[in-house]
Amino acid sequence: MAQTVDGRKKISEKFIYFFGAFGGILFGYDIGVMTGALPFLQHDWNLEGHATTIGWITSGVMFGAIFGGATAGMLSDRLGRRKMILASAVIFVVGSIACGIVPNNGTGWLIAMRIFLGIAVGAASALVPAYMSEIAPARLRGNLSGLNQTMIVSGMLISYIVDYLLKGLPHQYAWRLMLAAAAIPALILFLGVLRLPESPRFLIHHGNVEEARHVLSMIRPADQVEAEINEITTTASEEAENQRKVSWGTLFSPRYRYLVIAGIGVAAFQQFQGANAIFYYIPLIVEKATGQAAGEALMWPIIQGVILVLGSLLFIAIAEKFNRKTLIMMGGTVMALSFILPAVINMVMPNAHPMMIVVFLSLYVAFYSFTWAPLTWVIVGEIFPLAIRGRASGIASSFNWIGSFLVGLVFPIMTAKMSQELVFFIFGVICVLGVLFVKFMVPETRGHSLEDIEEAAVRRSLGK
């Protein structure tokens, strides 16, 4: 790293880029790791038949994330983006280790630690992309945004591989090491962000222009510093003015109601369509379908993880070649059929091969990976006008986490009371409703400016 004039070290773009990616990897790892740990935990603590307990242990992270995501943004506005990311990494480390050393049969303790860990998951999911978009050069911001989904699913894939590598250990050790291993990427993230400066945008927002100038001198060519200072100052003033004018009630005024409902609806449908039921419980799904022990079915999460990564790369390649609504409706249609057809086939052919449902679930994951998974956040990022973007995006994110939590909680309860085919049939119907919602309630955002989208929404609201 070269020295600047005032003695501070330059920070390379690759260093910034790496830790922008690493935040997503950590986020994905902690979401995916319970998939492989759960079968061993079930066996160790004799949790078979305790569907509600299994649901809470699995979904506790998402429950904590609802609050972590909501509070992290507010605290980061007061304390700084970097400090809050470091605090989140510490919670990751402590929470991961705590999950690995819980007392035997301490289900309440494990659920509490999973919720505690979820606070960091929610915070990291909100803070790391925001921080990186503020500190990275403008020409890299689009790449960081496009790669975020790839890094999250890569983190999930890494967790599945770690689970598979540890499956040969005795049950009482395997799940503990799987959960505790999340502390390693969290520690790497902490050490990496420790070397990064505070966001220049945060510094200017708090009146510390000189320190922002020092930070920019570390990460930008000298001839770009003053221009970016002026740009950030202007944007910060506009946002402050918007915040004074906008209340929560403004979101549902005739001017914005249509767009707010559209954005929140897409974010909610992404989770209520049941994707996380597959990601969290695929070994148990295979066990119930085939009778194969869940602990021996850990290759299936890896297969799902590979499909997710390949799908995210496919999305990057085709994202700007097709309209948002075309892709997401096509994906939702195939996802619906992937859930509905196994139930129909099972009714017509009761002796159909039990692995049929797993094949259809893999087809679901393939289409989800390059449609609903990334496009939800593309649409949420494009649909809200600047005046309400902060509040509206926060609500959309909260509904997404609530959906993730509820699916993780109720899926084992539902499968304990009805067949897997019927449960997925219900999710398939929700997929159909999601397609209809997008068709009739969501505007096309590709190639349209925020002003064009807002104007069209106003005309729709006023019936013009």
Side-chain angles (χ1 to χ4, degrees), residues 80-92:
R81 319 290 196 242
R82 177 177 171 274
K83 288 180 182 177
M84 288 304 301
I85 294 173
L86 292 173
S88 299
V90 170
I91 294 175
F92 262 117

Side-chain angles (χ1 to χ4, degrees), residues 88-102:
S88 299
V90 170
I91 294 175
F92 262 117
V93 172
V94 174
S96 300
I97 295 174
C99 287
I101 61 173
V102 294

Side-chain angles (χ1 to χ4, degrees), residues 244-299:
R244 285 193 290 270
K245 294 179 179 178
V246 175
S247 66
W248 288 108
T250 307
L251 300 184
F252 296 97
S253 65
R255 183 177 188 87
Y256 299 121
R257 185 189 304 128
Y258 165 56
L259 295 177
V260 170
I261 292 173
I264 292 174
V266 170
F269 268 113
Q270 186 205 44
Q271 292 300 331
F272 283 109
Q273 289 171 336
N276 281 341
I278 303 173
F279 304 144
Y280 300 146
Y281 296 110
I282 187 64
L284 301 183
I285 293 169
V286 174
E287 179 182 56
K288 192 164 185 177
T290 66
Q292 178 187 5
E296 298 302 317
L298 295 190
M299 183 57 72

Side-chain angles (χ1 to χ4, degrees), residues 48-85:
E48 287 83 358
H50 294 75
T52 302
T53 300
I54 292 170
W56 268 105
I57 290 173
T58 302
S59 62
V61 164
M62 285 73 77
F63 184 75
I66 296 170
F67 304 98
T71 57
M74 293 184 293
L75 288 175
S76 72
D77 285 339
R78 296 179 185 177
L79 303 177
R81 319 290 196 242
R82 177 177 171 274
K83 288 180 182 177
M84 288 304 301
I85 294 173

Side-chain angles (χ1 to χ4, degrees), residues 442-461:
V442 179
E444 179 57 55
T445 60
R446 174 175 171 257
H448 297 280
S449 68
L450 292 176
E451 291 75 20
D452 290 340
I453 295 168
E454 183 177 352
E455 183 181 346
V458 171
R459 289 200 302 270
R460 175 176 173 136
S461 298

Side-chain angles (χ1 to χ4, degrees), residues 45 98-99 101-107 109-110 175-176:
W45 285 4
C99 287
I101 61 173
V102 294
N104 282 327
N105 299 307
T107 54
W109 173 261
L110 182 57
W175 68 267
R176 293 178 182 275

